[in-house]
């Protein structure tokens, strides 16, 4: 997903903008550029590849000026070339624009502008915005903010933009349409900043202002005014962030992903903290109080998410149906919004999202809202759009997750779902006090057990070396270990670029067994649970066909160890937390293989931390 940074104030803009872009690298990108107002006009520098290439290109003669914008591009329209790299300008370099999102009607707009004689320099939809603003701006005959409002009024789809003009050196204009990535304004002393997320701003300020759909902000060094697309003034509240920048630094770990895997004892503790009452037998979710009248009478939950968070929805289904006896449907956000879902009265949408800005997940919330349904968001970034849209919020409290591959957010999503299951089971009168106390005691052991797993180290590097050159992996699990198999496969494929599939182990004989040979390792999740015997026979079926098995097994299970080629031990634990104990080794195995393969673990190719385009 693209990253946007803008600065206006007393300091030189170039370093603030480029450093802000570096803080957004985790979002994923393929090129970067800046535009600085240097007293003579708009000075642009753009380069394909890493931001470091851009910084190197201006090192000898950095552009001078106190206002500028920058962008990291995750290509949607047009190849990865310097011409397609933002910022984009109009034909006279009067206006410069950076953009996040997709202009769905850009072809028609481009044709109209071309018919008026506009000559395009790029293949992007963003350049259309620059020309549209310039057309309305008419070299300053209109205020830039008004030209931006009028241009945004012609766009279809979701867009977040920042524009500047050499004719208005004292201001930046930010605008937002739909659910494209956030537009956050950081309020400083004698300076203000605009960015796609707070992570690019917290080095300068904790005071944040968030633009909603259809809002345009005029930002000078001293002042910020916001209006809607009709030009009517909008009163905005300011949020003071509590994030400690040190929290998200690597703190000695080689990669953010490894740090975040090792943060799980703490993040799991924080997912539970404050949600179990003193008696130890009741879950407290104060952020759901707005929904309390409907929760006891719920008839169905629609759990909607993308990627890793969708795997957490599958876990939520298992847990909530078992604990609360409440039907749960699971959907991908990208499917839910287009399949005309059957949303009956008494249903609520549960969205699970780390960033709270995933456009397909946000669209599912919009679909629910349009049908008059309420929504609950399990979300890590509490200042996000999903948190603001939802009727009830369950913060993950996992802290900043910078690695593109989600780890601690996933395990916290599952724990939050487990607590929600207990909460709903209590509301529906299907969980008595004794059972609740047992369940909460079980989940209370999880952080310590994960900590012991992590501190015991493990054979990850040795195992990774054996299998790092394989081209395909199959992950197998049953019951709640099936979503864990899916998540383990996703971790491997997204950071090591090895093809990997997760499958319900019982399905192996219905197809995947045809794939088994010595070249495709099978990761079998077979802890000491009620389907262990079935998993053992799956392992035997694989071995009988010459396959190789990496087993995740409960410590001491020699029978599994004897049959598997390699085994990774996990501690004995209750049925609800064992799948999460199995998740940690799969995160570490994927990490080790990716490192040995020399992959960019924190910013895997083609991926973004938060996907704000369809
Ligand atoms: C997971 O490792 C990926 N980064 C990706 O699948 C991610 O889970 C998905 O894009 C959803 O993101 P969200 O939780 O921020 O909505």
């Amino acid at each position: 997903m693209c990253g946007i940074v803008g600065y206006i104030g007393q300091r030189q803009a170039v370093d603030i903008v480029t450093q802000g872009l570096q803080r957004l690298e985790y979002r994923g990108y393929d090129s970067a550029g800046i535009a600085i107002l240097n007293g003579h006009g708009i000075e642009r520098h753009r380069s394909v590849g890493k931001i470091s290439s851009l910084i190197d290109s201006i090192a000898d003669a950095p552009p001078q000026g106190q206002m500028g914008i920058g962008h990291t591009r995750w290509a949607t329209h047009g190849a990865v070339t310097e011409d397609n790299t933002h910022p984009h300008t109009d034909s006279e370099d009067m206006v410069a624009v950076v953009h996040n999102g997709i202009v769905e009607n850009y072809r028609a707009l481009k044709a109209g502008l071309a018919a008026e004689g506009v000559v395009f320099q790029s293949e992007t939809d963003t350049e259309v915005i620059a020309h549209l603003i310039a057309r309305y701006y008419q070299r300053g005959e209109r205020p830039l903010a008004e030209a931006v409002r009028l241009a945004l009024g012609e766009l279809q789809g979701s867009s977040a933009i920042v524009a500047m003009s050499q004719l208005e050196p004292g201001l930046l204009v930010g605008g937002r349409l739909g659910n494209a990535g956030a537009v956050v304004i950081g309020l400083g002393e004698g300076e203000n900043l605009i960015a796609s997320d707070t992570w690019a701003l917290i080095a300068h300020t904790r005071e944040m202002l968030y633009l909603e759909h259809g809002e345009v902000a005029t930002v000078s060094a001293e002042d910020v005014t916001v209006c809607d697309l009709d030009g009517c003034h909008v009163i905005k509240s300011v949020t003071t962030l509590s994030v400690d920048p040190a929290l998200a630094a690597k703190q000695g770990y080689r990669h953010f992903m490894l740090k975040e895997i090792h943060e799980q004892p703490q993040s799991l503790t924080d997912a539970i903290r404050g949600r179990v009452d003193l008696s130890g037998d009741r879950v407290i979710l104060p952020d759901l109080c707005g929904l309390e009248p409907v929760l006891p009478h719920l008839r169905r939950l629609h759990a909607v998410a993308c990627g890793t968070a969708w795997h957490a929805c599958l876990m939520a289904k298992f847990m909530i149906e078992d604990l609360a006896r409440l039907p749960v449907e699971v959907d991908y956000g990208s499917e839910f919004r287009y399949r005309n879902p059957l949303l009956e009265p008494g249903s609520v949408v549960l969205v699970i999202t780390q960033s709270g800005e995933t456009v397909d997940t946000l669209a599912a919330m919009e679909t629910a809202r349009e049908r008059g349904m309420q929504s609950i968001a399990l979300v890590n970034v509490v200042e996000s759009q999903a948190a603001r849209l939802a009727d009830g919020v369950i913060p993950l409290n996992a802290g900043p997750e910078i690695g593109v591959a989600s780890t601690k957010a996933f395990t916290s999503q599952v724990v939050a779902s487990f607590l929600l299951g207990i909460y709903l089971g209590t509301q529906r009168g299907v969980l008595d006090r004794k059972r609740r106390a047992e369940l909460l005691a079980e989940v209370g052991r999880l952080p310590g057990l994960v900590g012991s797993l992590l501190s015991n180290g493990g054979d990850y590097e040795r195992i990774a070396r054996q299998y790092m050159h394989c081209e395909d992996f199959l992950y197998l699990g049953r019951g709640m270990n099936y979503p864990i198999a899916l998540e383990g496969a996703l971790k491997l494929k997204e950071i090591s670029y090895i093809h990997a599939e997760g499958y319900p182990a019982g399905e192996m004989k219905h197809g995947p067994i045809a794939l088994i040979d010595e070249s495709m390792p099978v990761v079998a999740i077979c802890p000491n649970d009620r389907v262990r015997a079935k998993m053992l026979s799956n392992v035997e079926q694989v071995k009988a066909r010459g396959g190789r098995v990496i087993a995740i097994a409960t410590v001491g299970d020699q029978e599994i160890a004897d049959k598997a080629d390699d085994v990774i031990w996990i501690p004995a634990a209750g049925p609800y937390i064992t799948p999460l104990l199995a998740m940690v080794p799969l995160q570490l195995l994927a990490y080790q293989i990716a490192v040995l393969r020399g992959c960019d673990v924190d910013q895997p190719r083609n991926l973004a931390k938060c996907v704000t385009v369809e």
Side-chain angles (χ1 to χ4, degrees):
M1 183 193 64
C2 302
I4 289 175
V5 177
Y7 173 81
I8 182 162
Q10 319 303 328
R11 295 187 282 169
Q12 285 301 308
V14 60
D15 289 347
I16 295 169
V17 172
T18 52
Q19 287 159 16
L21 293 180
Q22 286 175 311
R23 300 296 284 266
L24 298 180
E25 281 195 287
Y26 75 90
R27 298 158 69 98
Y29 69 102
D30 40 51
S31 57
I34 60 172
I36 304 291
L37 199 57
N38 65 7
H40 310 295
I42 292 173
E43 183 179 345
R44 262 194 309 172
H45 296 274
R46 300 179 290 174
S47 69
V48 169
K50 291 294 187 185
I51 295 167
S52 52
S53 311
L54 173 67
I55 292 172
D56 292 345
S57 72
I58 57 176
D60 295 340
Q64 300 299 307
Q66 294 167 309
M67 182 170 87
I69 57 179
H71 187 268
T72 51
R73 181 175 181 242
W74 190 70
T76 53
H77 291 80
V80 179
T81 63
E82 186 173 321
D83 282 346
N84 287 337
T85 302
H86 304 209
H88 286 288
T89 59
D90 65 302
S91 313
E92 298 171 13
D93 281 353
M94 194 66 60
V95 172
V97 176
V98 289
H99 170 231
N100 187 9
I102 288 182
V103 180
E104 293 178 355
N105 58 331
Y106 88 97
R107 286 187 179 80
L109 293 171
K110 186 167 184 174
L113 288 162
E116 294 170 10
V118 171
V119 177
F120 285 83
Q121 304 301 319
S122 79
E123 307 160 286
T124 67
D125 54 346
T126 306
E127 188 186 351
V128 168
I129 301 175
H131 291 296
L132 276 181
I133 293 173
R135 186 176 70 178
Y136 284 112
Y137 189 45
Q138 288 300 324
R139 295 194 185 83
E141 279 186 27
R142 277 197 176 96
L144 182 62
E146 185 179 347
V148 169
R149 283 204 316 273
L150 293 167
L152 286 177
E154 291 202 44
L155 306 187
Q156 291 170 13
S158 294
S159 285
I161 70 166
V162 179
M164 70 181 199
S165 168
Q166 58 175 297
L167 297 184
E168 297 194 46
L171 60 88
L172 294 172
V173 176
R176 183 175 192 193
L177 279 185
N179 293 324
V183 177
V184 189
I185 297 164
L187 307 174
E189 295 295 324
E191 62 183 26
N192 288 313
L193 300 94
I194 308 180
S196 316
D197 74 38
T198 54
W199 187 228
L201 304 173
I202 53 175
H204 306 288
T205 177
R206 302 285 177 85
E207 304 300 310
M208 306 293 171
L209 181 155
Y210 298 86
L211 290 193
E212 305 293 344
H213 162 65
E215 292 181 346
V216 173
T218 302
V219 181
S220 70
E222 300 299 334
D223 187 41
V224 178
T225 54
V226 179
C227 62
D228 62 20
L229 293 183
D230 298 325
C232 302
H233 186 59
V234 176
I235 307 287
K236 300 292 288 182
S237 59
V238 175
T239 303
T240 303
L241 284 194
S242 57
V243 176
D244 170 1
L247 266 183
K250 282 184 192 169
Q251 292 170 358
Y253 285 94
R254 183 175 173 187
H255 296 103
F256 279 114
M257 181 180 177
L258 186 61
K259 167 175 171 274
E260 288 147 14
I261 290 171
H262 283 267
E263 283 179 333
Q264 289 179 113
Q266 186 58 53
S267 54
L268 289 166
T269 299
D270 295 340
I272 300 164
R273 187 196 309 279
R275 292 176 171 156
V276 180
D277 75 353
L278 295 177
S279 65
D281 63 18
R282 181 176 288 272
V283 169
I284 316 163
L285 296 174
D287 300 278
L288 294 191
C289 55
L291 284 157
E292 265 189 350
V294 300
L295 292 180
H297 317 296
L298 271 189
R299 297 174 57 190
R300 185 176 302 276
L301 269 185
H302 292 268
V304 185
C306 302
T308 284
W310 181 80
H311 299 149
C313 286
L314 292 177
M315 295 293 283
K317 175 181 175 67
F318 274 105
M319 293 174 165
I320 294 171
E321 288 193 346
D322 185 30
L323 295 171
R325 310 311 295 152
L326 174 68
V328 178
E329 277 197 42
V330 175
D331 265 296
Y332 285 112
S334 53
E335 291 298 315
F336 182 83
R337 62 190 297 195
Y338 292 118
R339 73 173 179 82
N340 189 19
L342 187 59
L343 303 178
E344 302 150 319
S347 301
V348 162
V349 165
L350 169 70
V351 293
I352 299 182
T353 170
Q354 190 284 130
S355 64
E357 297 292 350
T358 299
V359 69
D360 288 326
T361 303
L362 293 174
M365 298 179 80
E366 292 288 345
T367 301
R369 195 174 55 79
E370 286 157 8
R371 308 280 191 92
M373 279 178 63
Q374 292 181 294
S375 61
I376 298 171
L378 265 60
V379 57
N380 196 33
V381 181
V382 292
E383 307 88 20
S384 62
Q385 184 81 337
R388 294 202 295 274
L389 276 175
D391 301 285
V393 176
I394 303 179
L396 296 180
N397 301 329
E401 185 178 73
I402 307 301
V404 165
S406 187
T407 50
K408 64 176 183 175
F410 172 71
T411 50
S412 292
Q413 287 163 356
V414 175
V415 165
S417 303
F418 176 69
L419 295 174
L420 179 60
I422 295 172
Y423 181 86
L424 293 171
T426 308
Q427 296 265 338
R428 298 163 61 84
V430 297
L431 274 184
D432 64 22
R433 197 179 67 75
K434 179 175 177 296
R435 181 67 181 128
R436 295 198 304 262
E438 288 166 357
L439 293 165
L440 292 170
E442 176 179 343
V443 76
R445 295 182 58 225
L446 180 61
L449 290 171
V450 170
S452 63
L453 245 182
L454 291 167
S455 53
N456 291 343
D459 275 352
Y460 298 106
E461 185 167 348
R462 177 187 63 76
I463 295 173
R465 284 193 188 285
Q466 283 187 67
Y467 299 101
M468 62 183 277
H469 298 301
C470 294
E471 292 176 2
D472 300 283
F473 272 70
L474 183 62
Y475 285 68
L476 299 178
R478 288 176 182 261
M480 282 196 283
N481 292 321
Y482 161 47
I484 300 300
L486 293 173
E487 176 59 12
L490 175 59
K491 287 293 90 59
L492 184 70
K493 75 180 102 171
E494 66 175 329
I495 62 174
S496 71
Y497 316 145
I498 294 173
H499 170 251
E501 259 189 285
Y503 240 90
E507 276 296 298
M508 194 178 69
K509 55 189 174 297
H510 299 286
I513 199 165
L515 297 171
I516 300 298
D517 63 24
E518 74 289 340
S519 69
M520 183 180 74
V522 173
V523 178
I525 306 170
C526 27
N528 190 9
D529 59 14
R530 62 195 180 92
V531 288
R532 174 188 172 279
K534 303 294 181 193
M535 283 305 301
L536 183 58
S537 62
N538 284 125
V539 170
E540 288 163 338
Q541 289 160 25
V542 171
K543 293 303 297 170
R545 289 159 179 82
R548 291 188 289 170
V549 173
I550 302 167
I552 310 295
T554 302
V555 65
D557 190 336
Q558 199 50 46
E559 187 179 17
I560 295 274
D562 292 343
K563 293 187 186 307
D565 296 85
D566 292 279
V567 63
I568 300 173
W569 299 113
I570 60 174
Y576 283 100
I577 63 172
T578 293
L580 289 180
L581 293 174
M583 188 68 245
V584 174
L586 300 186
Q587 293 168 346
L588 288 169
L589 179 63
Y591 173 79
Q592 282 297 347
I593 291 175
V595 166
L596 291 172
R597 286 167 62 96
C599 296
D600 187 345
V601 169
D602 283 335
Q603 296 159 33
R605 68 185 183 197
N606 307 336
L607 282 177
K609 180 62 181 173
C610 167
V611 181
T612 60
V613 292
E614 283 197 57

